[in-house]
Amino acid sequence: GAGVSQSPSNKVTEKGKDVELRCDPISGHTALYWYRQSLGQGLEFLIYFQGNSAPDKSGLPSDRFSAERTGGSVSTLTIQRTQQEDSAVYLCASSPWTGLNTEAFFGQGTRLTVV
Amino acid sequence: DAKTTQPNSMESNEEEPVHLPCNHSTISGTDYIHWYRQLPSQGPEYVIHGLTSNVNNRMASLAIAEDRKSSTLILHRATLRDAAVYYCILRDVSASGSRLTFGEGTQLTVNP
């Protein structure tokens, strides 16, 4: 595809359930970033990947959050035992590499609602 | 991360130029100045970036002060579609993965 694709676009889940959010970056982009945006708030950095490795996981809010990337392409963000405060839009972005002089391309996000 | 300061909101009229200011007095020599915007219910969208010289692209122009402590994003003719939150971001080597750190941004309203 031409851009960053995220699925599902919307997800409603019950408190305590696990959810998986998927991100398909632009082909060939080695850098991939996850952010979340709570209602009316700014973007909060969660984690980034360089290839398949995640050098910095410090932005993940708790150990219920994990992410992986396989084949240097698709990434999955998993939230276990979801809580209501996890409700937010989860955004994925990719860049050709982790340089200062590159642009990041964002997906449309996954809106997660925990009821 | 070096910080930026932007007005919370600005208004413009359609088809008029818009100048969105950003202060970054603690910028270091290697920091790039990036601008992104976020339209309602969409992910952020890259607008423009620069280091020292002014930059132009099809979307906008970026004017960077000589001392690099401030910059201005210029939309030459605002349209209703330009109504969005505009983020001025310093991309620096100290941020892991050169990640973008978003602040509050400027909410731009375009009046017909």
Side-chain angles (χ1 to χ4, degrees), chain B residues 1-26:
Chain B
D1 296 343
K3 292 192 174 182
T4 63
T5 304
Q6 300 178 252
N8 290 333
S9 62
M10 291 186 65
E11 276 194 49
S12 175
N13 295 322
E14 200 174 8
E15 298 190 3
E16 290 185 355
V18 181
H19 290 234
L20 297 164
C22 180
N23 288 318
H24 28 78
S25 58
T26 60

Side-chain angles (χ1 to χ4, degrees), chain A residues 88-110:
Chain A
V89 176
Y90 289 81
L91 291 155
C92 173
S94 71
S95 287
W97 59 85
T98 56
L100 304 181
N101 192 24
T102 62
E103 59 183 277
F105 297 82
F106 282 80
Q108 295 299 305
T110 293

Side-chain angles (χ1 to χ4, degrees), chain A residues 33 35 37 42-45 93 99-104 106, chain B residues 1-6 20-28 30-38 43-51 62 64 68 70-73 85-93 95 97-106:
Chain A
Y33 305 84
Y35 290 82
Q37 188 170 31
L43 280 85
E44 174 189 7
F45 168 78
L100 304 181
N101 192 24
T102 62
E103 59 183 277
F106 282 80
Chain B
D1 296 343
K3 292 192 174 182
T4 63
T5 304
Q6 300 178 252
L20 297 164
C22 180
N23 288 318
H24 28 78
S25 58
T26 60
I27 191 171
S28 71
T30 56
D31 292 351
Y32 277 79
I33 303 161
H34 285 247
W35 284 81
Y36 282 74
R37 70 180 186 182
Q38 188 172 23
E45 172 187 35
Y46 167 82
V47 178
I48 200 167
H49 77 276
L51 182 62
L62 176 61
I64 302 173
R68 302 215 317 132
S70 66
S71 60
T72 302
L73 179 69
V85 178
Y86 286 78
Y87 298 97
C88 171
I89 301 167
L90 298 183
R91 208 166 188 187
D92 66 276
V93 293
S98 301
R99 69 179 186 269
L100 296 162
T101 301
F102 289 81
E104 299 300 316
T106 296

